[in-house]
Each structure stands twice: as C-alpha cells, then as structure tokens.
C-alpha cells in the first residue's frame, strides 16, 4: 500500500502540539511527512524541517510559500495539518481548502461563527475534507462509549455531565506571565478564555458520544483572578437535540486538578463514566446490577473500539495514540475518495468542520449568557437553526 503524504504548518521546535501530531500521523504507516512550514521565523522553520528529514525544497519559510510550492507539484501532499496560533487558523485553512488540499485544523477552527460557516461552505463547495482536531474523541473507549449509546445499551440518554478542569493558571502571581496572560486577553484570545480553550473539548465529547447536538445553553462565568478580563471558570447548563440535559464545568483555577477531562452519560437503563487521565477503563453501571469496568483491549468490544486500539490489554495508550486514530480515520477517508468507495463506518468518526463551527457558536453563546447572568441563549450557528 502506497503511503499518503502529509505536511504541517506550525508545530515547530519547542511546540507542545507538534510532536503529538508527528507521532500520530506516522504511527500506523499511513502517512509520510514530506512538507512543512514549521515556524513563524522562516529560517528557523526551514532549518527545523530539514532537521526532521524534510527535503530542502519542501521545508518552507511560511505557509504561503508552502501553499504555492505544493500546489505546483504533481506529488502534492494529500493532507495538511494547521497547528498555528488560533487567530491564523481561518486564513490558512481557507487558503488550503481553496487550493485543493484536505485539511486537519487544530481547534478552535476559527475565531468567529461567520468564519466557521465560511469554512463549512468552502469544504462543501470544494469537496475537500475539512477536519478539526478534537483529538480526545480518538480514544478507544470513548469510541466504545459512543457505540454503546448508539446501540441503546443504556437506554434513552437523560443527563450528560462533562468536565475539563485544571489548576495550572491558579496562581495570581503568575497572571502577568506572557505564556498565561494572552489566554485572558480579548485582543488575542477573543470572547472567551477557559471555555474556548478547554470547555469546547468537553462539549464536543458530549455531542460525539451521545450523537446529540447542543441547542440551548445557560452559562455562569467568572474571573476568579480579578485582573483577568476573560473567564477562568465556567459552569454551563445545556439542552441537546435528542432531549438530553447537559452540565459542563471547566476551570483553570481548580488547584489539584491536572487535566480533568471527564465524561459521564446517564440513560434510562445504565450509566457510563470515562476520564482522560485513566483512559484504559470505562465504568459501566447497568440499572439494578453491579458496576462493570470495561478494559481497553479486552475481547468483545465494538468494531469502533477494536479499530482504535493497538497494544495489548493492560498497557497504557495515551494522547498521541488518540491523535493517531484521527489520522487513521483521515487516511481511510482520503483513500475511499481516491478509490471511489464507501468509507468504513468504524472509521467515519473524525471531527469535521461542522463540529468546529458548532463549538465556535457555543463559545459565543457562553460569552453572551455569562454577561447576561445566565440567560438561556441559542447555541446553534445560524446556518443550522
């Protein structure tokens, strides 16, 4: 099987997210890393790309150079990942989609709802894949959780409880640290800080697992550290398209919490709980029975879970392998399009531009509701109302 080719924008030397993408894209042997514009400093980007093994003529100084260079090649890359600062996502994703490339963009996909709607429209017009890296949806047991809900194993969903709370920005003395400060500055972060950074992951997980979309929400947002303009803690109540009620807490001042992404789903006949810090166990409580612990890699799981699991039971699989499942899905999607065949349903789970758009609409809804003391607002983007 011929490998697909892959290029990356951003994610240069010292980046937190770059190595996770490079590990994920290369893990299953589906993609070869052949092109990149890895740094906002052209010379540093070219040098680092070549240090990673890129040919000199495909280690670009910036994304515009990469767009023109790859567009002119007969062997242009099959997929481009955008892992640059948030405010640049829209411009770069739009340019590459219009240039005829499939794109995986880091979240948030855009900074505004209107930009998100434009990306959705461009993806439809060009016929190109526009995916968003909600990488936590790549975990094997998250996919099994989704399969259990879809099969009706816990009945109709009543309540969803999602959390993404950490304490890494809790020190008020650290408020002027440039690495922290920008996150709470509207000029750089937009209308939301903590919810836009972490809360949308939890909200996307709620929708991904339940198969329901968030329609309305009410938010209580605070800046626990008073010098911050944007929120560092939020509690969001929401109502979903299939009748489920949702509760979401996200915080950056929860001292003692390290990562804190957790999802609980309660149906008429059972409940499920999964935590990202212990990703190899899914807790399942059938109504009137004993608690069951489902282990990643055990026999009898769903095709979705089996496809997303690589190492034997009892051995940990972490975030880069979850990212790898997104890339594995995208490889299947790209090959299916090239070959004119139907995509494997168990692989058709990668987050799409529509998910990125819904997340951005939720960000603005949370900001609006928080300023209005919890007023219930429509959380849907206009094109989906």
């Amino acid at each position: 099987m011929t490998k697909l080719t892959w290029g990356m924008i951003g994610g240069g030397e010292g980046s937190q997210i770059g190595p996770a993408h490079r590990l994920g894209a290369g893990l299953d042997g589906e993609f070869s890393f052949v092109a990149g514009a890895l740094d906002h400093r052209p010379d540093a980007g070219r040098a680092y790309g070549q240090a990673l093994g890129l040919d000199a003529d495909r280690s670009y100084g910036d994304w515009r150079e990469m767009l023109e260079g790859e567009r002119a090649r007969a062997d242009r890359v099959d997929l481009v990942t955008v892992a640059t600062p948030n405010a640049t996502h829209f411009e770069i994703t739009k340019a590459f989609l219009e240039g005829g490339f499939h794109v995986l963009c880091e979240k948030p996909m855009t900074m505004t709802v209107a930009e998100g709607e434009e990306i959705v429209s461009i993806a439809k017009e060009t016929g190109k894949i526009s995916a968003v890296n909600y990488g936590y949806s790549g975990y094997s047991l998250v996919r099994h959780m989704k399969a259990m809900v879809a099969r009706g194993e816990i009945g109709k969903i009543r309540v969803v409880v999602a959390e993404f709370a950490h304490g890494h920005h809790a020190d008020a003395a650290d408020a002027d640290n440039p690495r922290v400060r920008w996150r709470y500055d509207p000029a750089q972060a937009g209308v939301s800080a903590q919810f836009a950074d972490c809360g949308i992951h939890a909200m996307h997980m709620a929708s991904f697992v339940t198969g329901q979309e968030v329609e309305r929400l009410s938010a209580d947002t605070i800046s626990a550290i008073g010098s911050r303009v944007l929120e560092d803690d939020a509690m969001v109540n929401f109502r979903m398209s299939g009748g489920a009620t949702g509760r979401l807490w996200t915080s950056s001042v929860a001292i003692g919490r390290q990562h804190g992404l957790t999802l609980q789903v309660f149906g008429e006949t059972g409940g499920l709980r999964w935590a990202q810090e212990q990703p190899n166990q899914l807790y399942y409580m059938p109504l009137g029975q004993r608690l069951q612990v489902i282990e990643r890699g055990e026999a009898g799981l769903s095709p979705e879970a089996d496809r997303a699991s690589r190492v034997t039971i009892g051995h940990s699989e972490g975030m880069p392998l979850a990212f790898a499942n997104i890339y594995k899905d995208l490889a299947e999607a790209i090959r299916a399009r090239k070959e004119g065949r139907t995509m494997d349903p168990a692989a058709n789970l990668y987050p799409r531009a529509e998910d990125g758009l819904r997340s951005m609409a939720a960000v603005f809804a949370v900001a609006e509701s928080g300023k209005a003391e919890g007023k219930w607002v429509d959380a849907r983007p206009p094109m989906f109302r």
Side-chain angles (χ1 to χ4, degrees), residues 365-380:
V366 165
E368 177 186 349
S369 178
K371 290 178 180 178
E373 297 185 338
K375 176 184 175 182
W376 281 89
V377 297
D378 197 327
R380 300 169 297 174

Side-chain angles (χ1 to χ4, degrees), residues 148-159 210 212 265-272 284 287:
M148 290 180 70
V149 170
R151 293 195 302 243
E153 293 187 25
I154 63 170
K156 184 178 179 181
I157 304 306
R158 292 170 171 165
V159 178
T210 64
Q212 300 184 35
V265 182
F266 304 104
E268 293 175 331
T269 61
L272 297 165
Y284 170 40
L287 181 65

Side-chain angles (χ1 to χ4, degrees), residues 27-364:
L27 191 63
D28 294 303
E30 296 277 9
F31 288 100
S32 292
F33 180 39
V34 299
L38 303 179
D39 200 294
H40 68 281
R41 301 163 298 170
D43 290 342
R46 292 189 185 100
Y48 189 57
Q50 291 177 62
L52 292 176
L54 299 182
D55 292 339
D57 65 337
R58 299 184 87 173
S59 187
Y60 299 99
D62 61 45
W63 69 265
R64 291 180 177 86
E65 183 183 328
M66 179 170 163
L67 175 61
E68 292 308 311
E70 290 300 309
R71 190 158 50 185
R73 300 181 67 101
D75 61 345
R76 58 165 53 188
V77 289
D78 293 299
L79 175 69
V80 174
T81 291
V82 179
T84 54
N86 296 354
T88 66
H89 289 178
F90 168 70
E91 182 182 20
I92 299 172
T93 298
K94 177 184 177 183
F96 275 86
L97 287 173
E98 291 178 334
F101 296 89
H102 301 301
V103 177
L104 170 63
C105 182
E106 264 299 329
K107 66 85 199 170
M109 183 178 74
T110 62
M111 295 294 286
T112 70
V113 177
E115 289 174 348
E117 292 191 330
E118 188 171 351
I119 293 297
V120 170
S121 296
I122 291 169
K124 290 179 179 178
E125 291 165 5
T126 61
K128 295 301 175 181
I129 294 168
S130 181
V132 184
N133 189 42
Y134 288 110
Y136 303 113
S137 65
Y139 278 100
S140 174
L141 289 181
V142 171
R143 295 186 167 197
H144 186 60
M145 201 176 184
K146 177 181 179 68
M148 290 180 70
V149 170
R151 293 195 302 243
E153 293 187 25
I154 63 170
K156 184 178 179 181
I157 304 306
R158 292 170 171 165
V159 178
V160 182
V161 180
E163 294 184 4
F164 197 155
H166 65 82
H168 301 303
H169 300 163
D171 187 352
D174 203 34
D176 287 329
N177 180 338
R179 293 175 65 94
V180 175
R181 186 179 60 225
W182 75 267
R183 298 176 182 273
Y184 303 92
D185 177 4
Q188 299 182 71
V191 300
S192 170
Q194 179 59 18
F195 184 81
D197 187 28
C198 296
I200 58 173
H201 275 298
M203 187 166 279
H204 174 262
M205 288 274 283
S207 289
F208 179 79
V209 168
T210 64
Q212 300 184 35
E213 303 298 343
V214 176
E215 294 189 331
R216 298 182 299 124
L217 62 79
S218 168
D220 179 19
T221 60
I222 64 167
S223 298
I225 294 178
S227 61
R228 292 173 175 165
V229 178
L230 300 176
E231 88 288 346
D232 51 24
D233 187 281
M235 179 65 77
V236 183
N237 293 313
F238 55 92
R239 301 291 186 268
M240 307 187 80
S241 55
T245 292
R247 318 289 189 197
L248 187 155
W249 173 50
T250 186
S251 182
S252 64
V253 294
I255 296 173
R257 298 288 290 264
Q258 296 303 320
H259 188 268
L261 178 58
T262 303
L263 185 68
Q264 300 176 85
V265 182
F266 304 104
E268 293 175 331
T269 61
L272 297 165
R273 181 185 183 276
W274 179 86
Q276 193 266 343
E277 292 178 45
Q278 292 84 35
N280 290 291
Q281 288 82 39
L282 171 62
Y283 292 88
Y284 170 40
M285 175 67 83
L287 181 65
Q289 299 182 42
R290 290 182 176 177
L291 176 67
Q292 301 178 23
V293 180
I294 298 172
E295 294 279 352
R296 185 208 53 77
E298 70 181 34
L301 298 185
S302 61
E304 293 87 345
D306 291 342
R307 184 181 183 279
S309 183
R310 292 172 182 78
V311 299
T312 55
I313 189 170
H315 296 81
S316 297
E317 287 191 5
M319 187 187 77
L321 279 77
F323 277 34
N325 285 326
I326 304 295
Y327 280 98
K328 190 176 182 181
D329 292 347
L330 289 169
E332 165 66 13
I334 293 168
R335 292 186 191 282
R337 291 186 181 210
K338 284 186 172 186
E339 297 163 11
R341 59 175 172 80
T342 302
M343 188 176 177
D344 178 358
N348 197 20
L349 299 178
Y350 62 90
R352 290 155 166 79
E354 289 81 357
D355 299 300
L357 169 58
R358 290 184 186 278
S359 292
M360 187 47 54
V363 166
F364 277 82

